[in-house]
Amino acid sequence: MAEQPLVSVRGEAIREVPPELAVFSVTVSARDKDRRTTLTRLTERAAELRSALDDYPDAIEHRETTGVQVHPELKRSGERISAYVGGVTTTVTVTDFSVLGELLLRLANQEQTAVSGPWWQLRPGSTAGAAVRKAAIADALNRAREYADAVGARVDRLVEILDDGTGGGPQPMMRAVALSARGPEMDLNLDIDPQQQTVQAAVIVRVAITEPTALQ
């Protein structure tokens, strides 16, 4: 008995979907000739940052200290210390984009504070990835049916599905904004437009088809 004819096709799908997370970093700094003064100011500014973030408990999903550094600043000539410099960096993950602009401006307006971001992301294991993989399989099966129909056959059964390994997740997003500010409260509004995420997937599908009639 002759083996059943097989058809292998590649299916792919690309979708633009809204981001689910916005991640930004905020760094507070201090500098003074006296080491103790530098550490005191740095501690105070870090506490002010924590207090500001505490005001957005429903919007912030994660906040993590990702860097602490304190070091002497040397004069160009010799090893004499001209000042002590310190910084604390916190990475913040936000889920409520409606307050993101307000939060970024508020943090940037604090003394010796720099804000970078946001970086737009989907959650790990986002349903957007599953949906695009299903669409890629559907695309492959449609192509298989077209090939089978072209030779007077039909798809009989699915034999194999292989992930083509070229997609399934969002493409890397670039930094959207960088802020640094000082001074009194600002009467400003910052409108934030979330950056769409490109999600793609590709699969190889192998199917068995009935005996072609167009070739007989």
Side-chain angles (χ1 to χ4, degrees):
M1 182 178 179
E3 292 186 0
Q4 195 170 10
L6 299 178
V7 174
S8 295
V9 293
R10 183 177 187 272
E12 58 186 352
I14 300 176
R15 299 288 187 272
E16 295 287 335
V17 299
E20 298 167 339
L21 304 172
V23 180
F24 67 88
S25 67
V26 53
T27 301
V28 294
S29 304
R31 182 182 184 277
D32 195 87
K33 293 182 179 180
D34 180 69
R35 177 168 54 187
R36 180 71 179 182
T37 301
T38 297
L39 294 175
T40 299
R41 290 176 179 171
L42 184 62
T43 301
E44 291 173 348
R45 288 165 186 164
E48 291 172 358
L49 170 61
R50 294 181 64 86
S51 178
L53 295 176
D54 285 342
D55 290 340
Y56 299 84
D58 296 331
I60 296 176
E61 184 170 281
H62 299 296
R63 42 193 270 195
E64 303 164 319
T65 302
T66 52
V68 177
Q69 55 91 17
V70 178
H71 62 88
E73 193 175 77
L74 303 180
K75 292 184 177 180
R76 292 184 178 178
S77 58
E79 297 182 354
R80 295 185 61 185
I81 297 173
S82 61
Y84 290 90
V85 180
V88 176
T89 299
T90 301
T91 300
V92 182
T93 301
V94 175
T95 55
D96 183 358
F97 304 157
S98 66
V99 299
L100 182 56
E102 171 191 320
L103 176 57
L104 291 174
L105 282 181
R106 178 175 173 181
L107 297 178
N109 196 42
Q110 294 189 171
E111 189 71 17
Q112 291 294 312
T113 300
V115 178
S116 295
W119 297 273
W120 304 101
Q121 300 177 3
L122 295 175
R123 293 181 181 279
S126 171
T127 57
V132 79
R133 286 188 288 273
K134 290 180 180 179
I137 293 174
D139 179 59
L141 292 175
N142 284 336
R143 294 186 185 190
R145 294 186 186 100
E146 291 173 357
Y147 284 126
D149 183 67
V151 294
R154 59 178 176 79
V155 173
D156 182 52
R157 59 188 174 87
L158 178 64
V159 176
E160 188 176 33
I161 299 177
L162 298 174
D163 192 323
D164 197 32
T166 59
Q171 67 180 16
M173 293 290 103
M174 297 179 62
R175 182 180 306 181
V177 65
L179 301 172
S180 179
R182 303 178 186 177
E185 290 298 321
M186 297 181 294
D187 184 18
L188 297 174
N189 293 314
L190 179 63
D191 294 326
I192 298 293
D193 297 318
Q195 189 174 22
Q196 292 289 99
Q197 305 290 284
T198 301
V199 184
Q200 57 186 353
V203 296
I204 303 297
V205 169
R206 183 173 291 111
V207 297
I209 64 174
T210 59
E211 194 68 29
T213 59
L215 301 181
Q216 296 178 353

